Amino acid sequence: MTTAHLLETPEAVLAYDVRGPLPTADGRPPLFLTAAPMDAAGFATLAALFRDRTVLTYDPRGLGRSTRHDGRVEHTPQQNAEDVHRVIEAVGGPVDLFASSGGAVSALALVAAHPGDVRTLVAHEPPLLALLPDADRAFAAEREVHAVYAAKGWGYGMAAFIALTSWRGEFTDAYASAPIPDPAAFGLPVEDDGTRDNPLLSGVSDAITAYRPDPAALAAAPTRVVVGVGAGSDGVLTGRTSVAAAEALHLELAVFPGDHGGFFGGEFGQRGEPEAFAERLREVLG
């Protein structure tokens, strides 16, 4: 059974879901699934594949069902980490944490700030651009995506983002000089709907990709931290950042089925390898 909850905080109302009993029936920590800027809806398939465990999901502040009244629009790892900490406190933590994409960055900040919250963290494909050898070019490419979105809207912005995230290897002059991709080539609209508030394309999440984890704090924490990378992400942006994070932080690297969305089962029109992904996650969590 899934129960929905609202947690009032000084700056936001956080929506989170609990699948299964609390306290847990078998004494194991709940399994918390997080991401950013994705909300809980993206974990519907993966959560259903862990029926033997109590599973938590949540919507980051300002996304999905979670509202914010802090007067701000940006998303930062520290802010998201504190919100996840509040949810863990509310359910009586600690937890096992699977965190993907921007959620993985926030999870590294969480372990550094609240090391008792998490037993095992699997940080899946954290987009830590600052750890890349070509970080300056990666940040320039990211800024160009924002500029395209601001000038031409969601379809062109998303096409530019797809080109960014699918580029193999270091960013070169050839990448920088390439024309703006045609949205129609990706099945995206060319019409501009006038909105400019997409958290992935507008720049409000730049603090996440610019974050530098604290190696000393992570090493001192009792949490076992594993960096996950998709087998299909070899050589592309988040595959490269995952390898760079594991090397820079001296962390275990675990390969998962699929690519950045390997756990999707049709959410957002994407399908990875969710069953194989869940099996691998069980192995890594031990």
Side-chain angles (χ1 to χ4, degrees), residues 15-160:
Y16 70 94
D17 304 302
V18 180
R19 295 170 172 82
L22 283 175
T24 60
D26 58 6
R28 287 186 293 175
L31 174 59
F32 200 168
L33 308 176
T34 71
M38 188 184 83
D39 61 26
F43 284 118
T45 299
L46 186 60
L49 293 170
F50 282 89
R51 296 190 184 280
D52 59 320
R53 295 195 64 167
T54 295
V55 176
L56 313 174
T57 53
Y58 99 117
D59 295 348
R61 70 167 67 183
L63 301 172
R65 302 158 296 167
S66 292
T67 58
R68 61 192 303 172
H69 43 268
D70 56 0
R72 309 180 76 90
V73 296
E74 72 272 12
H75 299 274
T76 73
Q78 297 85 353
Q79 157 203 293
N80 287 345
E82 289 305 313
D83 287 346
V84 172
H85 169 65
R86 291 182 176 113
V87 174
I88 292 171
E89 277 193 321
V91 301
V95 300
D96 284 336
L97 180 58
F98 171 80
S100 188
S101 195
V105 178
S106 300
L108 293 170
L110 170 69
V111 170
H114 302 284
D117 279 4
V118 183
R119 185 184 71 169
T120 297
L121 164 62
V122 180
H124 178 252
E125 300 214 355
L128 294 164
L129 302 191
L131 300 184
L132 292 174
D134 55 329
D136 289 348
R137 283 180 174 257
F139 283 123
E142 181 184 55
R143 289 192 297 270
E144 180 61 20
V145 170
H146 303 334
V148 170
Y149 175 62
K152 307 194 75 170
W154 183 81
Y156 280 92
M158 184 56 69

Side-chain angles (χ1 to χ4, degrees), residues 157-179:
M158 184 56 69
F161 179 78
I162 292 171
L164 167 74
T165 55
S166 60
W167 181 264
R168 291 194 174 274
E170 295 192 7
F171 292 99
T172 63
D173 291 343
Y175 175 87
S177 62

Side-chain angles (χ1 to χ4, degrees), residues 173-195:
D173 291 343
Y175 175 87
S177 62
I180 298 172
D182 179 4
F186 302 103
L188 299 169
V190 297
E191 298 80 10
D192 185 353
D193 65 6
T195 61

